[in-house]
Amino acid sequence: MLLAALFGGSFAAIKTGLRELPPVLFAGLRFDVAAVVLLGYVVLTRGRGSWLPTNRRDLLAISTGAILLVALNNGLLFLGQVSTTPAAASVMYGLNPILAPVFAWWLLGNRLSVLGVAGIGVALCGVVIIVQPSPATLADPSSAGQLLVLGAAGAVALGSVLLRRIEPTLESVVVTAWSMAFGAVILHLGSLVVGEVQPNLFALDTVTLLSIASLGIPSTAVAYAIYFGLIERIGPVRTNLVAYFVPVFAALSGWLVLESAVSPWTGVGFLVVVAGFSLIERQVVVSEVLRLWERLRGNPPVAENVSDD
């Protein structure tokens, strides 16, 4: 729940900072802060030989993380949030666990069951419900923003699968720290290329500075460390279940901070997306429901020996 709150609160912080900062520059500033914090942590807690890339696989993993998981992901996410609400953006962004099996089938040869294919179809129906495509709505800025956020989710899904295929020798938190640093550089270069106005950072509003700090430290450096720690402890599939609590916190923070209403169609689409995910990862969902039921009954959780890779 803490991780969902950290990720969910980031959507309202992004929307707040976009009032004064151009989107790609804002994304770059987020990772300036996060990279300094996470790289500092890595350098202080690990020996030099364990945090420097030493082979082609490590460099390829860092490049993949910097380009897809940091630069493309956050560039599209911040651009998309210019014209959509935190709640709608978080629902679209939560599609990355749905898209990952498609990329895994393509790049890793993982098989998709009939129910898995049906789940992907159901989740895409949820996207249609949220966007409601028509000649009028597709021209609407909010629909374009939602599609940009969907592109960000695709970048995350593709990057995650590619990292699994590359199998770097460095720890995941070290790869993440270097990816943040190089991704920040790419975002700043992208901001200059697209012609964004570069404001005087020392003249920024206090609320904007707080948005950068809250995004860079708790919602990125801390949240990513928790996220990768959970992947190592309980596996990627169970960890990605957090994506379906994020919209709740995003909607709540958007309402509290921005007084942003949640569209009924966004809520319906979210439920349909969750249904699709439940079909794809039905074994994990059933396992988690049984685990919760045992805890409510006061029984100790049953140890698992099966990996969800």
Side-chain angles (χ1 to χ4, degrees):
M1 284 298 179
L2 173 61
L3 182 59
L6 291 173
F7 279 149
S10 69
F11 289 88
I14 292 171
K15 194 72 174 178
T16 300
L18 287 172
R19 294 172 174 174
E20 191 174 6
L21 288 169
V24 181
L25 173 63
F26 188 15
L29 293 172
R30 171 187 190 175
F31 284 94
D32 289 340
V33 175
V36 169
V37 172
L38 201 56
L39 272 176
Y41 166 76
V42 166
V43 170
L44 290 173
T45 58
R46 285 157 176 78
R48 183 174 180 181
S50 63
W51 56 264
L52 287 175
T54 57
N55 56 60
R56 180 175 173 273
R57 280 193 297 164
D58 290 340
L59 292 173
L60 189 57
I62 291 169
S63 300
T64 299
I67 295 169
L68 290 173
L69 297 178
V70 174
L72 190 57
N73 165 28
N74 284 270
L76 292 173
L77 176 62
F78 279 60
L79 283 167
Q81 279 214 247
V82 171
S83 56
T84 191
T85 65
S90 65
V91 171
M92 297 297 280
Y93 196 69
L95 278 167
N96 71 76
I98 303 289
L99 297 172
V102 178
F103 290 119
W105 165 75
W106 174 38
L107 294 170
L108 304 179
N110 291 0
R111 294 181 60 185
L112 281 172
S113 67
V114 174
L115 282 178
V117 174
I120 292 172
V122 170
L124 291 177
C125 288
V127 174
V128 172
I129 291 172
I130 296 168
V131 178
Q132 299 181 46
S134 70
T137 58
L138 289 178
D140 185 83
S142 64
S143 295
Q146 290 168 1
L147 292 175
L148 285 171
V149 175
L150 181 58
V156 171
L158 177 58
S160 301
V161 172
L162 284 174
L163 284 179
R164 175 71 61 85
R165 181 170 181 171
I166 294 167
E167 295 184 342
T169 58
L170 288 173
E171 288 183 72
S172 59
V173 67
V174 177
V175 172
T176 303
W178 283 115
S179 297
M180 286 180 178
F182 288 112
V185 173
I186 296 171
L187 285 165
H188 281 292
L189 291 175
S191 175
L192 293 172
V193 168
V194 300
E196 288 184 341
V197 176
Q198 306 294 307
N200 180 3
L201 299 181
F202 295 100
L204 293 177
D205 184 271
T206 302
V207 174
T208 303
L209 292 174
L210 289 174
S211 296
I212 297 171
S214 66
L215 275 174
I217 301 174
S219 292
T220 305
V222 175
Y224 276 50
I226 295 173
Y227 180 76
F228 284 99
L230 284 174
I231 287 177
E232 291 180 355
R233 197 175 55 148
I234 64 175
V237 174
R238 285 177 58 197
T239 299
N240 278 333
L241 290 173
V242 74
Y244 296 99
F245 293 97
V246 168
V248 177
F249 289 98
L252 180 61
S253 62
W255 174 67
L256 289 173
V257 177
L258 306 171
E259 299 182 356
S260 175
V262 180
S263 163
W265 288 115
T266 297
V268 172
F270 168 66
L271 294 176
V272 174
V273 169
V274 171
F277 177 81
S278 299
L279 283 174
I280 297 170
E281 301 295 351
R282 55 200 176 280
Q283 293 179 335
V284 176
V285 172
V286 170
S287 173
E288 289 303 303
V289 170
L290 291 176
R291 183 191 298 271
L292 178 60
W293 174 248
E294 290 299 321
R295 285 182 177 175
L296 291 175
R297 293 178 60 189
N299 297 330
V302 178
E304 295 184 10
N305 296 319
V306 180
S307 171
D308 64 6
D309 288 350

